[in-house]
Amino acid sequence: MIEHWLKYAGAFENAIDDGHWQAVSNAFHPEATYERFSDDSRLVTPLISGPQCIVDNFENSVRLFDRRFISRRIRNITLASTDYSISHQFRNTYHCEGLLSFELIGSEEYLFSDDGLILSLQESFAPGIGTKLIDWLIQHGDNLKPPE
């Protein structure tokens, strides 16, 4: 399943840059689900079903968050797999000129179908990160680029 995850991750990174999300959508099974967990309820994403709805959520998140920074550096901390699942821990550092960087830490749990499509993606921010992110945005959000 690693090769399927790598293809998906590459498509996701390309979509952040070029705005073309079809390859990301194609990585999901027609019955796929996504949800995000956080210690701050404002960052929780309730269960979303279907590739297009999932991708619409990703695209909106990227527009409202990622693209407002000058850069984002991804560090994959761990990647572990079994026959049909992948666990991924990440540490993303977001930079904005004149501000301290913000580090987003969390994990993702993927479940794949027999044909290598993502059936389920559950993302969780590390304990305390959601609250820190909201506090950081309240303090510094006006200094970020406006949403596109």
Side-chain angles (χ1 to χ4, degrees), residues 44 52-53 56 58 60 63 67 74 81 96 115 121 129:
V44 170
Q52 191 58 54
C53 292
D56 288 348
F58 290 166
N60 191 50
R63 182 180 62 80
R67 288 195 182 134
I74 302 167
S81 69
C96 184
D115 54 358
L121 169 52
I129 291 296

Side-chain angles (χ1 to χ4, degrees), residues 64-134:
L64 294 174
F65 188 72
D66 300 72
R67 288 195 182 134
R68 297 185 67 198
F69 291 84
I70 291 171
S71 68
R72 155 170 107 46
R73 188 184 64 167
I74 302 167
R75 223 173 101 215
N76 296 315
I77 298 172
T78 63
L79 187 63
S81 69
T82 63
D83 288 344
Y84 293 100
S85 67
I86 289 181
S87 295
H88 173 232
Q89 292 183 343
F90 60 86
R91 182 178 302 248
N92 297 344
T93 305
Y94 293 85
H95 302 281
C96 184
E97 192 171 323
L99 298 176
L100 292 175
S101 298
F102 184 82
E103 197 167 61
L104 187 60
I105 303 166
S107 63
E108 299 169 322
E109 300 294 327
Y110 295 84
L111 180 63
F112 288 84
S113 64
D114 288 339
D115 54 358
L117 297 175
I118 300 168
L119 278 170
S120 171
L121 169 52
Q122 293 183 331
E123 179 181 32
S124 300
F125 293 144
I129 291 296
T131 301
K132 286 179 185 176
L133 174 57
I134 293 295

